[in-house]
Amino acid sequence: CFPVTIRKSMDISDAIRSTYPNVPKNKAIMMADAQIRYSQQYKIETHIGLGISGIESGFNPNAVSYNGTSHGSMQVHYKVWKKELPGLTLKCLHDIDCGIKTGYKILARYRELNKGNMYAAMKSYYGATDTSENVKYANRVFLKAMYFKSKIG
C-alpha cells in the first residue's frame, strides 16, 4: 500500500496524462508533486491549480503566451509579477516546481485581495480588470478544476 501523498501524486499524474497525453510521464509526476505541495502550502484546493495549468498551458512548463508576456505551466505574466516578486526570473517560471509555486503564490494573493472568494481570485488571475473575459476564464478554469476533482477525488 502506498502512502496517501504518493497515491494522490500518481492519481494526479494519471489524470494529467489521460487529458494531456503529450505530457511526458516524468514531467506529469513532477507537476503532480508540485501541485500537491503548493496547494497545501497556500491552502488552495489542488484541483484549482490543476484547472489553471490545464487551461493556461496544457501542463507545458515551457509555454509562452501568444504575445510573449506569460510564461510556464501556470502562465504567469512576467513583466507584472517580476516587480511584485523580487528574484522572479523567466528561468523560474519555466521550471516546473518554481513556476507552479509562483502561480499558487499569485492565486493566494488574489484570494486574499478578494476576501477569500476563490472564484473572484480566479477572475483576477486572468487579468486585473473585471471584464466578461475574466468571467469566461474563471468559468473555464472552474470546469476544468471540477473535471480534475472528479478524477482525483
Side-chain angles (χ1 to χ4, degrees):
C1 181
F2 290 112
V4 173
T5 14
I6 293 174
R7 176 80 261 159
K8 186 172 183 179
S9 182
M10 290 169 64
D11 289 346
I12 290 171
S13 174
D14 289 346
I16 290 169
R17 288 190 32 83
S18 71
T19 311
Y20 302 93
N22 292 335
V23 176
K25 186 173 186 169
N26 65 325
K27 289 193 180 207
I29 291 168
M30 291 169 62
M31 286 186 204
D33 290 345
Q35 290 277 350
I36 292 166
R37 186 169 42 262
Y38 297 117
S39 71
Q40 291 171 346
Q41 180 178 336
Y42 291 101
K43 296 175 178 46
I44 295 170
E45 294 178 285
T46 308
H47 61 275
I48 300 294
L50 292 168
I52 290 173
S53 287
I55 293 297
E56 288 286 357
S57 70
F59 292 91
N60 178 358
N62 298 312
V64 178
S65 63
Y66 72 93
N67 60 6
T69 60
S70 298
H71 298 266
S73 67
M74 305 247 330
Q75 288 292 280
V76 172
H77 194 288
Y78 178 66
K79 288 182 181 178
V80 169
W81 288 101
K82 75 176 182 175
K83 297 172 191 167
E84 298 288 324
L85 303 172
L88 183 64
T89 64
L90 287 174
K91 184 177 180 179
C92 162
L93 294 177
H94 291 284
D95 174 80
I96 289 171
D97 190 77
C98 189
I100 290 172
K101 178 181 183 178
T102 303
Y104 271 95
K105 184 182 286 191
I106 292 166
L107 190 58
R109 187 175 289 186
Y110 281 134
R111 179 188 56 201
E112 184 179 325
L113 290 172
N114 286 287
K115 298 176 177 57
N117 183 325
M118 186 53 69
Y119 184 78
M122 288 189 292
K123 289 189 329 187
S124 297
Y125 192 91
Y126 184 71
T129 57
D130 193 11
T131 67
S132 64
E133 289 303 312
N134 297 59
V135 171
K136 289 177 190 174
Y137 171 81
N139 288 341
R140 288 176 49 225
V141 168
F142 182 76
L143 287 172
K144 185 63 74 174
M146 291 301 100
Y147 167 80
F148 279 110
K149 187 173 184 175
S150 75
K151 293 285 190 186
I152 63 172

